[in-house]
Amino acid sequence: LLVLNLLSQLIITMSLVLGTAITTSSNHWMMIWIGLELNTLAILVIIMKPKHPRSTEAAVKYFLTQTIASTMVLCAGTINATQTGQWNASMMTNKYACTMLLLALTIKLGTIPTYFWLPEVMQATSMTTALIIATWQKIAPISVMYATHNHLPQNMMMTIGLSSIIIIGLGGINQTQLRKLMAFSSMMNLGWTLTAFSISPNTATINIIFYMIMLIPSFMLMKKMSLKTMQNLTTTWTTSPLASTLLTLLFLSLSGLPPLTGFIPKIMILNELITQNLTPVATTTAMMSLISLFFYIRTTYITTL
């Protein structure tokens, strides 16, 4: 039985990795779609592993949103192929197909306008599964966005990015559940990424990589200390001061507070925006990042009480 369990875990992990690898390395729309679907099916099994009604509910929500997004990706590819005769992802020229693709990728990533599913799914899963959803599951859609960024509507992308920073920043203030808070943090960072994608895809990619690197130890510490709510943070200092300090620094780094690591990609994005004469956008993003700084500082204040 133990061997079967290990074998099933290995198959699921391999499917998860393979799905992302197929999507990131393919140029053909059909192969990209197959990779996305394989990735979705693998994570569904992981979400449903705890035998609990909330896990089942989270799996259904995740399945519906991801399937709609994958269908939209395939539809965008099909529309473009009927117009141009090309199934190549880098040959996206139809403006309707490009708009549909951008909306599909925002659904997959969990940003404005369809972000409601992500906090609910992350809250209803285990800490490890929430980490996979917040990090690994973003790689495939981001790679598709990177491959097609020249053809995606730039103004629309920047508007979605700015809206994510403002609306999701305000939504995160009210959260007391740590996994939901991390979901809002993830979505807000995606807002920065989308804003940067419209002018400098390389800077946007650096931003998402830095964020994932910082998010992994944050989730690992929260799992190690069995933290679920803000209330749990009040007792961590007495039981494990070192872990509590590390978590505080990681939260502040995620907020982009200088001189910590999270500040580097943010200053790079602001620099790119100013270079492109988008000073009002840069000012708005910098001002709105203070909102996320508030809810991160609130968690660190509770941690070090």
Side-chain angles (χ1 to χ4, degrees):
L1 195 67
L2 182 66
V3 174
L4 279 171
N5 191 27
L6 287 169
L7 190 65
S8 65
Q9 282 184 1
L10 182 67
I11 291 164
I12 292 160
T13 310
M14 288 297 289
S15 300
L16 197 68
V17 174
L18 188 64
T20 305
I22 290 167
T23 304
T24 51
S25 60
S26 299
N27 278 327
H28 197 284
W29 280 116
M30 190 59 75
M31 289 303 292
I32 288 169
W33 178 75
I34 288 166
L36 290 170
E37 286 302 301
L38 185 62
N39 191 269
T40 302
L41 290 169
I43 194 72
L44 281 174
V45 180
I46 297 168
I47 292 168
M48 285 187 74
K49 196 180 178 187
K51 300 290 181 281
H52 195 275
R54 288 198 72 186
S55 301
T56 312
E57 185 190 334
V60 171
K61 284 176 183 174
Y62 190 86
F63 172 75
L64 290 171
T65 49
Q66 296 297 310
T67 308
I68 290 163
S70 296
T71 309
M72 284 173 73
V73 167
L74 195 59
C75 277
T78 310
I79 290 164
N80 192 66
T82 53
Q83 294 286 319
T84 62
Q86 291 285 337
W87 281 95
N88 197 316
S90 57
M91 300 285 185
M92 287 288 283
T93 51
N94 187 285
K95 63 177 183 178
Y96 298 112
C98 291
T99 307
M100 187 184 281
L101 177 64
L102 180 60
L103 288 170
L105 292 173
T106 56
I107 294 169
K108 275 214 161 285
L109 290 165
T111 57
I112 297 288
T114 47
Y115 68 93
F116 300 101
W117 64 271
L118 187 61
E120 296 301 321
V121 169
M122 279 180 69
Q123 180 57 32
T125 56
S126 66
M127 201 62 84
T128 311
T129 312
L131 172 61
I132 295 166
I133 293 165
T135 54
W136 184 262
Q137 292 303 96
K138 301 276 187 283
I139 296 170
I142 288 288
S143 67
V144 176
M145 196 176 278
Y146 189 89
T148 57
H149 73 270
N150 287 329
H151 308 288
L152 296 175
Q154 305 296 314
N155 290 340
M156 189 178 178
M157 200 188 289
M158 193 168 280
T159 306
I160 290 169
L162 277 170
S163 303
S164 294
I165 293 167
I166 297 163
I167 297 164
I168 291 165
L170 292 167
I173 291 172
N174 217 16
Q175 301 305 318
T176 54
Q177 300 287 332
L178 282 176
R179 274 168 293 184
K180 271 193 179 180
L181 191 73
M182 297 317 283
F184 276 90
S185 158
S186 170
M187 292 185 291
M188 192 155 181
N189 183 265
L190 281 167
W192 278 83
T193 305
L194 285 171
T195 307
F197 242 112
S198 54
I199 51 159
S200 176
N202 292 334
T203 309
T205 310
I206 289 165
N207 179 54
I208 202 85
I209 290 165
F210 267 71
Y211 183 77
M212 286 178 185
I213 290 166
M214 292 183 291
L215 205 63
I216 292 162
S218 303
F219 268 98
M220 285 170 74
L221 278 170
M222 286 192 285
K223 187 186 177 183
K224 186 76 177 170
M225 295 191 286
S226 303
L227 301 174
K228 288 182 173 64
T229 64
M230 297 275 271
Q231 192 66 36
N232 299 146
L233 287 169
T234 54
T235 56
T236 55
W237 182 255
T238 50
T239 53
S240 48
L242 180 63
S244 184
T245 308
L246 280 171
L247 192 62
T248 302
L249 287 169
L250 282 163
F251 279 156
L252 290 172
S253 186
L254 285 168
S255 70
L257 191 75
L260 300 165
T261 315
F263 177 66
I264 299 164
K266 283 187 168 55
I267 198 71
M268 285 171 73
I269 291 167
L270 291 172
N271 182 48
E272 285 288 343
L273 287 166
I274 293 162
T275 308
Q276 297 285 338
N277 293 322
L278 292 165
T279 312
V281 177
T283 309
T284 309
T285 50
M287 292 296 285
M288 288 301 121
S289 68
L290 292 172
I291 299 169
S292 69
L293 185 64
F294 168 75
F295 64 73
Y296 279 120
I297 284 179
R298 190 179 61 158
T299 59
T300 57
Y301 172 72
I302 291 167
T303 310
T304 52
L305 270 175

